[in-house]
Amino acid sequence: KDSAPPAPPAPPELGIHVTEDCGQTAIGDRACNFALLDQDGEYWELKNDLGKVVVLDFSTVWCPPCQAAASHVQQLQDEYMDTAAIVTILIDGPVAPHASTMDDVVGWATSYGIDTAPVLQGSRELMFDITGETGYSISSFPTYIYIDKEGYIHSGHSGFSGEYVRQVIDSLL
């Protein structure tokens, strides 16, 4: 008797997956898993890069400093290919506070030559929590959050310095 092939797994729910053993509000919290779509239309989940240092770059399309930082993403990813993931999360499209679209994400990756680092379609609703309980607390763009190899939030900062990003990654390896 032939059996039907198993159904493919359901796609992950977009946004932050809060459980009782994670948080986004303090240095030292275990980062909650989250899922967003990347520039290839694939689901990207934080948990899949545990074991690497993860650099979350919260950016917006309308932000000139974010655009300047984007030109360094692929070089950083190339330098740390096996040990770190440089992940851009586009929160807003060209006009704040409107969520980024897939066209924004694909355009960003193409414009800045990002082909092996994920560029994710985010939004304020999916990634921020104004109550300060579950979402990331971001007050300016770009903001970087560093997650160590064990999945704990190590540090964060606003603004971009390629040398500083390298120093933090190196300190976590």
Side-chain angles (χ1 to χ4, degrees):
K1 187 175 186 180
D2 292 332
S3 61
E13 181 179 342
L14 295 178
I16 297 174
H17 305 163
V18 179
T19 58
E20 52 188 59
D21 67 339
C22 71
Q24 314 293 88
T25 59
I27 301 300
D29 281 351
R30 178 179 290 280
C32 295
N33 187 42
F34 67 89
L36 295 170
L37 290 171
D38 70 12
Q39 69 265 39
D40 298 320
E42 302 289 328
Y43 289 93
W44 183 92
E45 289 188 80
L46 176 62
K47 70 179 184 180
N48 294 335
D49 276 320
L50 290 181
K52 292 182 178 182
V53 173
V54 178
V55 180
L56 300 179
D57 162 16
F58 290 90
S59 283
T60 67
V61 174
W62 53 260
C63 161
C66 301
Q67 296 163 10
S71 65
H72 299 274
V73 168
Q74 189 59 53
Q75 179 184 0
L76 285 166
Q77 187 61 67
D78 290 346
E79 287 177 40
Y80 293 100
M81 184 62 70
D82 296 326
T83 56
I86 314 301
V87 181
T88 302
I89 303 167
L90 284 180
I91 297 298
D92 291 342
V95 179
H98 299 289
S100 66
T101 66
M102 187 52 68
D103 285 344
D104 295 330
V105 170
V106 170
W108 189 270
T110 302
S111 293
Y112 298 104
I114 303 169
D115 56 15
T116 62
V119 178
L120 306 179
Q121 181 185 5
S123 70
R124 293 169 189 258
E125 292 75 23
L126 290 173
M127 299 307 293
F128 299 165
D129 177 8
I130 59 170
T131 67
E133 294 176 16
T134 59
Y136 287 94
S137 176
I138 307 296
S139 60
S140 63
F141 298 104
T143 290
Y144 289 79
I145 304 291
Y146 298 89
I147 300 172
D148 69 20
K149 295 186 286 185
E150 289 76 41
Y152 290 92
I153 298 172
H154 174 269
S155 60
H157 64 88
S158 295
F160 176 76
S161 162
E163 187 55 38
Y164 186 75
V165 171
R166 286 177 182 88
Q167 288 174 5
V168 176
I169 293 171
D170 289 343
S171 76
L172 293 172
L173 293 177

